[in-house]
Amino acid sequence: MRTKIIEMETIEEQIRECRRCELWKTRTNPVVGEGTLTAKVMFIGEAPGYYEDLKGRPFVGKAGKMLDELLRLAGLERSEVYIANVLKCRPPGNRNPKVAEIKACTPFLDAQMEIIEPAVIATLGNFSLGYIFDKFYIKKDKIGKIHGKVFTVSTVPGIKKIVPLYHPAVATYNPGMKEVLVDDFKVLAKCCL
Ligand code: URA
């Protein structure tokens, strides 16, 4: 555990000093990620939004409140998971991440996954799905077709399960989607047993 803490602190420092893309110029705080370094499940979102940028913490705005509720309904505690994003700095006006930004930033996410070695990765939204499915050579499909399905991949540290989920923000502007997310989070929770 001590080694994991030291390794994550090193990544945090690197992220604070990062100038690999332009986003450091407009962000207030980078959002490294948070949670336990021994988490069985790692959630990967898209990028910090307005409140995340202000606080330097992932999923603390409206989508974060929804994520907290979905975790609770699935019987998971925020303190037992790890939450990170594809991008560590907020894109101005919450625009979509650019390809070059994803390329520049994801070595940090890769390093975080290597430290945590989660047995389960839950992708939140399309950018996370795209990155993780490509990384693990899983054939991509529309989220409407594959949400809540469990994909199993073999990696050097061992078997991993990948569960693509809709982004929790979807349920904040389309309340009908909440039920879908609740069901999918329950599938995810079963993977963590
Ligand atoms: N949306 C994300 O994808 N990540 C956050 O941290 C907050 C909102």
Side-chain angles (χ1 to χ4, degrees), residues 81-103:
V81 306
Y82 192 89
I83 306 172
N85 281 306
V86 171
L87 294 190
K88 307 307 185 202
C89 296
R90 181 189 183 216
N94 294 354
R95 64 156 169 76
N96 283 341
K98 294 180 181 169
V99 174
E101 290 162 354
I102 295 172
K103 205 169 169 201

Side-chain angles (χ1 to χ4, degrees), residues 45-49 52 57-59 63 85 167:
E46 179 178 314
E52 289 77 20
R57 295 180 54 210
F59 284 95
N85 281 306
H167 195 286

Side-chain angles (χ1 to χ4, degrees), residues 21-34:
C21 79
E22 301 283 288
L23 293 180
W24 68 273
K25 291 183 184 168
T26 46
R27 61 139 159 94
T28 315
N29 293 294
V31 177
V32 175
E34 70 180 21

Side-chain angles (χ1 to χ4, degrees), residues 105-187:
C105 203
T106 41
F108 294 127
L109 178 63
D110 289 345
Q112 289 176 299
M113 284 189 271
E114 273 173 36
I115 294 168
I116 297 164
E117 288 187 356
V120 185
I121 294 174
T123 65
L124 301 172
N126 280 328
F127 286 92
S128 172
L129 183 154
Y131 181 69
I132 293 297
F133 271 50
D134 284 350
K135 177 179 170 68
F136 292 106
Y137 305 105
I138 310 170
K139 191 174 171 291
K140 280 180 289 195
D141 208 335
K142 292 203 176 82
I143 185 69
K145 267 183 114 176
I146 59 173
H147 68 91
K149 291 206 162 84
V150 181
F151 293 80
T152 304
V153 290
S154 268
T155 67
V156 175
I159 304 279
K160 265 191 208 314
K161 289 178 179 168
I162 315 278
V163 188
L165 301 169
Y166 280 108
H167 195 286
V170 169
T172 67
Y173 51 76
N174 183 351
M177 287 300 291
K178 188 168 167 188
E179 226 173 288
V180 176
L181 269 154
V182 168
D183 288 347
D184 289 353
F185 267 67
K186 287 184 180 159
V187 171

